[in-house]
Amino acid sequence: MSTTIQQLFHKWATLAPDECLSTERDYKFKLRILPDVERCNSLTASRQIITDNLETHLANRRDLTIQLLNFVLLTIIQHCAARQSSISFSFTELGTIATICNGLRSQPHPHPAIAALDAYIQLLEF
């Protein structure tokens, strides 16, 4: 799971540098905190997500990982709403599939946030 997540975050940072900033290492990303998603006092506030450790944290510190993934999910839903793009989810045996704009579908992923990120990257590429 980690490699896929790393690749998706790297692609997101490349396609939308104003939304996701990479730091000194490939697997660390700073997502800007959106005032509509989370209350904060600064317009430049960001949350750091270390994708290399998400799989380990999911096994050991599930609460923190789920919180980070949910933050990613809310951020992507906010970006889709800003672009007037609908997003929906379907749940299968293989995982969650996110669909944006009735056509851009993700691969099945174990968490809706990763599926949403996969589909959102397709929207950015489109």
Side-chain angles (χ1 to χ4, degrees), residues 7-58:
Q7 291 169 344
L8 289 171
F9 270 83
H10 184 70
K11 206 167 203 180
W12 186 11
T14 302
L15 291 169
D18 58 323
E19 296 174 12
C20 185
L21 308 169
S22 358
T23 61
E24 72 278 355
R25 299 175 106 187
D26 247 5
Y27 57 86
K28 289 185 182 179
F29 295 90
K30 289 182 180 177
L31 285 111
R32 295 213 170 121
I33 294 176
L34 303 172
D36 294 342
V37 174
E38 184 175 354
R39 184 178 296 181
C40 64
N41 294 331
S42 170
L43 295 175
T44 59
S46 63
R47 179 180 301 277
Q48 184 169 323
I49 295 179
I50 304 171
T51 57
D52 189 47
N53 295 332
L54 279 178
E55 187 174 324
T56 305
H57 285 312
L58 194 54

Side-chain angles (χ1 to χ4, degrees), residues 5-117:
I5 294 173
Q6 268 183 269
Q7 291 169 344
L8 289 171
F9 270 83
H10 184 70
K11 206 167 203 180
W12 186 11
T14 302
L15 291 169
D18 58 323
E19 296 174 12
C20 185
L21 308 169
S22 358
T23 61
E24 72 278 355
R25 299 175 106 187
D26 247 5
Y27 57 86
K28 289 185 182 179
F29 295 90
K30 289 182 180 177
L31 285 111
R32 295 213 170 121
I33 294 176
L34 303 172
D36 294 342
V37 174
E38 184 175 354
R39 184 178 296 181
C40 64
N41 294 331
S42 170
L43 295 175
T44 59
S46 63
R47 179 180 301 277
Q48 184 169 323
I49 295 179
I50 304 171
T51 57
D52 189 47
N53 295 332
L54 279 178
E55 187 174 324
T56 305
H57 285 312
L58 194 54
N60 301 323
R61 296 192 61 207
R62 187 173 175 84
D63 56 336
L64 173 66
T65 305
I66 296 299
Q67 180 184 4
L68 292 175
L69 288 173
N70 286 340
F71 180 79
V72 170
L73 180 60
L74 288 172
T75 302
I76 291 167
I77 290 171
Q78 172 71 18
H79 287 312
C80 286
R83 291 171 168 259
Q84 299 179 345
S85 302
S86 62
I87 184 169
S88 63
F89 299 91
S90 55
F91 303 92
T92 68
E93 296 172 356
L94 300 174
T96 304
I97 298 171
T99 304
I100 296 179
C101 299
N102 297 324
L104 302 172
R105 292 176 57 115
S106 73
Q107 296 296 313
H109 291 285
H111 192 278
I114 304 307
L117 179 55

